[in-house]
């Protein structure tokens, strides 16, 4: 049996936050706002005004803790209960949103997600990526419920640093690259075909609008190109995940999971690391130099790193080996259609970097 959990409401576009009050009032009377420190500071006045206008009490702003770990999830769940909140509003990036969704499950409260950076599709998916308290990857934690409402406000997202949009573009491109790699020529169900179609749409939208969306963020302006890319990052990527029942990740995400064992790369940004992993995935598949060079050009246009040196220029051979070893044994690497060894992954990384040099 396959179960699919969709967000109940999605509001998107410039000024979408102006619907927050109506959405919150339909779900409860007392709200706790969880999120990252910067996100809480940047949205507090907007959220206060929205909740006050509809008579919803904001009980507290609570920092999510910096890691989406079981420790933080349980701490925040207790805070929600202590404040007698009946709705949770979560603001910030992927880790904050993932934490808030898990807190909603732990407390049986509806969750409204308000992403302040476009780095992942975490705002819409019924999935949390959990880490240990020290930041090491722990596991994928499927949730039996999606957010009750999602607010994607391009006015807010246009003011975030470019690196976070670049991370979102890298993570979203992976939906196509990875799903294509693991689907192969096998027969697919309607769900699989839908997932594949949405993943391809992710790629097409980014190929067409990604560079212009990056320019919009550089200028801190919401534009039609940015809206198109945000739809890909949040909605089409989210639908890819939903319709594939979460089984769509492969070597690009495995390499990210490998990066989390190293202090120098752990905090670089999930989607930026996945974005580099996309290129290595193409090399692992044995795709042509022409196709790899095209992917490298798109990555550069979208501000995605294309070499290890761009991520962490001082990696030692021992740190490189630890990353590769962890990536090869990561759960997502097991989805690849062929066995990936430390040697083949190192060769793939070196091939990408040689092509990057030749393209300069």
């Amino acid at each position: 049996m396959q179960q699919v959990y969709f967000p109940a409401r999605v509001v998107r576009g410039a000024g979408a936050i102006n619907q927050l009050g109506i959405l919150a009032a339909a779900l409860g009377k007392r709200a706790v706002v969880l999120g990252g420190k910067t996100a809480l500071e940047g949205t507090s006045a907007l959220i206060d005004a929205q909740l006050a206008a509809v008579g919803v009490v904001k009980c507290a702003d609570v920092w999510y803790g910096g890691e989406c770990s079981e420790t933080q999830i349980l701490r925040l769940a207790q805070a929600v209960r202590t404040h007698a909140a009946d709705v949770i509003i979560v603001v910030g990036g992927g880790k904050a949103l993932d934490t808030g969704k898990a807190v909603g499950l732990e407390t049986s409260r509806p969750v409204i997600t308000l992403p302040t950076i476009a780095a992942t599709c975490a705002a819409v998916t019924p999935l949390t990526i959990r880490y240990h308290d020290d930041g090491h990857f722990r596991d994928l934690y499927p949730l039996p419920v999606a957010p009750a409402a999602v607010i994607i406000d391009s006015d807010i997202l246009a003011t975030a640093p470019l690196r976070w949009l670049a991370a979102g573009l890298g993570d979203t491109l992976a939906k196509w690259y990875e799903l294509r790699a693991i689907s192969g020529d096998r027969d697919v169900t309607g769900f699989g075909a839908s997932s594949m179609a949405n993943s391809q749409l992710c790629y097409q939208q980014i190929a067409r609008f990604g560079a212009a969306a990056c320019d919009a963020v550089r200028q801190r302006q919401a534009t039609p190109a940015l809206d198109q890319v945000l739809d890909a990052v949040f909605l089409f990527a989210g639908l890819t995940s939903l319709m594939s029942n979460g089984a769509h990740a492969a070597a690009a995400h495995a390499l990210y999971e490998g990066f989390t064992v190293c202090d120098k790369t752990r905090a670089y940004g999930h989607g930026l690391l996945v974005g580099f992993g996309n290129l290595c995935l193409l090399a692992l598949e044995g795709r042509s130099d022409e196709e790899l060079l095209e992917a490298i050009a798109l990555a550069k246009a979208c501000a995605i790193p294309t070499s290890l040196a761009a991520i962490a220029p001082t990696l030692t051979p021992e740190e490189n080996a630890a990353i590769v070893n962890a990536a090869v044994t990561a759960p997502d690497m097991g989805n690849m259609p062929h066995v990936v060894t430390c040697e083949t992954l190192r060769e793939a990384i070196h091939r990408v970097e040689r092509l990057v040099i030749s393209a300069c």
Side-chain angles (χ1 to χ4, degrees):
M1 179 178 69
Q2 182 172 2
Q3 299 186 63
V4 182
Y5 304 99
F6 294 97
R9 297 278 300 275
V10 176
V11 182
R12 45 80 73 190
I17 195 172
N18 293 321
Q19 298 299 309
L20 174 63
I22 294 170
L23 294 171
L27 297 170
K29 295 298 182 184
R30 295 174 59 83
V32 161
V33 183
L34 311 178
K37 291 179 180 178
T38 301
L40 289 170
E41 291 171 1
T43 60
S44 183
L46 293 169
I47 292 173
D48 287 352
Q50 281 292 305
L51 298 183
V54 294
V56 174
V57 175
K58 186 176 83 168
C59 305
D61 287 329
V62 185
W63 179 47
Y64 83 100
E67 284 298 341
C68 183
S69 67
E70 186 174 14
T71 300
Q72 301 300 340
I73 291 166
L74 295 177
R75 175 184 68 85
L76 294 166
Q78 185 55 50
V80 169
R81 296 187 186 102
T82 297
H83 288 292
D86 47 17
V87 61
I88 299 168
I89 299 169
V90 196
V91 299
K95 284 190 176 182
L97 300 176
D98 276 359
T99 303
K101 292 183 297 184
V103 173
L105 176 63
E106 183 71 23
T107 59
S108 300
R109 265 67 166 189
V111 173
I112 299 173
T113 57
L114 174 62
T116 56
I117 59 175
T120 72
C121 62
V124 304
T125 55
L127 173 71
T128 284
I129 302 174
R130 294 191 299 189
Y131 299 81
H132 296 288
D133 289 330
D134 62 2
H136 286 207
F137 172 79
R138 174 180 171 179
D139 60 14
L140 304 177
Y141 183 47
L143 308 173
V145 63
V150 181
I151 298 174
I152 303 167
D153 191 320
S154 49
D155 279 337
I156 293 173
L157 294 164
T159 65
L162 175 61
R163 70 187 301 263
W164 295 122
L165 177 62
L169 298 176
D171 197 44
T172 302
L173 285 169
K175 296 297 188 288
W176 167 242
Y177 292 135
E178 290 189 305
L179 193 57
R180 178 182 61 172
I182 63 179
S183 295
D185 296 326
R186 71 188 183 192
D187 291 336
V188 295
T189 64
F191 280 94
S194 175
S195 184
M196 183 66 75
N198 278 290
S199 72
Q200 189 169 22
L201 186 55
C202 288
Y203 175 84
Q204 291 169 343
Q205 293 296 92
I206 292 172
R208 183 177 178 186
F209 298 107
C214 289
D215 286 340
V217 170
R218 290 185 182 99
Q219 297 166 18
R220 299 172 65 85
Q221 294 182 351
T223 66
L226 180 59
D227 277 328
Q228 291 299 313
V229 163
L230 294 178
D231 285 345
V233 170
F234 292 109
L235 301 182
F236 304 138
L239 285 169
T240 300
S241 299
L242 289 167
M243 302 308 288
S244 66
N245 207 27
H248 60 274
H253 275 81
L255 186 54
Y256 158 73
E257 289 150 13
F259 278 123
T260 70
V261 306
C262 178
D263 291 339
K264 294 176 182 176
T265 54
R266 183 181 305 124
Y268 188 72
H270 171 92
L272 294 170
L273 297 172
V274 170
F276 175 66
N278 289 332
L279 305 177
C280 300
L281 165 64
L282 297 178
L284 282 169
E285 291 184 281
R287 294 191 177 271
S288 68
D289 285 359
E290 182 181 8
E291 185 170 352
L292 265 167
L293 287 167
E294 183 179 334
I296 288 167
L298 178 58
K300 287 181 176 179
C302 293
I304 296 166
T306 57
S307 69
L308 284 176
I311 295 168
T314 62
L315 284 177
T316 66
E318 294 76 19
E319 288 166 335
N320 267 307
I323 290 166
V324 169
N325 289 337
V328 166
T329 58
D332 288 327
M333 194 66 84
N335 293 331
M336 290 293 287
H338 57 271
V339 174
V340 177
T341 67
C342 292
E343 181 180 359
T344 56
L345 181 54
R346 280 194 294 268
E347 289 175 354
I349 293 170
H350 293 155
R351 183 183 171 207
V352 168
E353 297 195 316
R354 286 195 302 269
L355 286 171
V356 168
I357 293 170
S358 73
C360 293

